[in-house]
């Protein structure tokens, strides 16, 4: 099987297959989204700091909205115009980060 170019758009079946392993994420149009509720504002910022480290490693960055203890993540590959393997890989890494913080709610 040929290796995927990280900028190739995933088709609908590939997106749905990836979401099977990412139950907290949902597809909205050409994006993947996830909401997280932390214990408080400092906890939300700690999560965001750890997310930033993972995003830098991939050189792929989420759109993030922070509202006190709530984080809203949106992933899409703007250069490709939709969801790519970079987005699903970043979502997997963000799940690890989020899971490493205690008292986080979906």
């Amino acid at each position: 099987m040929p290796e995927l170019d990280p900028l190739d758009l995933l088709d609908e079946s590939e997106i749905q297959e990836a979401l099977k392993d990412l139950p907290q994420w949902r597809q909205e149009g050409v994006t993947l989204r996830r909401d997280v509720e932390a214990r408080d504002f400092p906890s939300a910022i700690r999560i965001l700091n750890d997310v930033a480290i993972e995003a830098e490693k991939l050189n792929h960055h989420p759109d993030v909205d922070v509202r006190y203890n709530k984080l809203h993540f949106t992933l899409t590959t703007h250069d490709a115009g939709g969801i790519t393997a970079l987005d699903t890989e970043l979502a997997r890494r963000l799940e690890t980060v989020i899971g490493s913080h205690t008292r986080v709610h979906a």
Side-chain angles (χ1 to χ4, degrees):
M1 178 181 214
E3 189 172 320
L4 289 174
D5 181 328
L7 291 180
D8 284 346
L9 287 174
L10 299 180
D11 65 31
E12 191 63 31
S13 65
E14 292 169 318
I15 294 167
Q16 294 309 311
E17 187 64 29
L19 288 174
K20 288 179 183 177
D21 295 328
L22 298 164
Q24 300 296 329
W25 290 83
R26 65 191 180 280
Q27 181 183 2
E28 290 185 10
V30 297
T31 68
L32 297 178
R33 294 184 184 253
R34 184 179 189 323
D35 301 319
V36 175
E37 185 177 340
R39 182 182 56 210
D40 52 26
F41 183 70
S43 297
I45 297 306
R46 283 191 291 276
I47 293 168
L48 186 55
N49 283 335
D50 289 349
V51 163
I53 291 167
E54 289 304 314
E56 281 295 300
K57 288 177 186 176
L58 279 179
N59 192 30
H60 190 60
H61 306 90
D63 292 331
V64 184
D65 179 33
V66 180
R67 306 287 172 115
Y68 179 62
N69 68 329
K70 293 176 179 59
L71 299 150
H72 307 280
F73 294 100
T74 303
L75 306 179
T76 192
T77 303
H78 298 285
D79 293 345
I83 300 168
T84 68
L86 280 173
D87 299 303
T88 57
E89 177 59 25
L90 184 54
R92 285 184 194 89
R93 292 182 185 204
L94 296 189
E95 281 306 296
T96 300
V97 167
I98 293 163
S100 72
H101 290 268
T102 60
R103 301 177 100 189
V104 173
H105 308 288

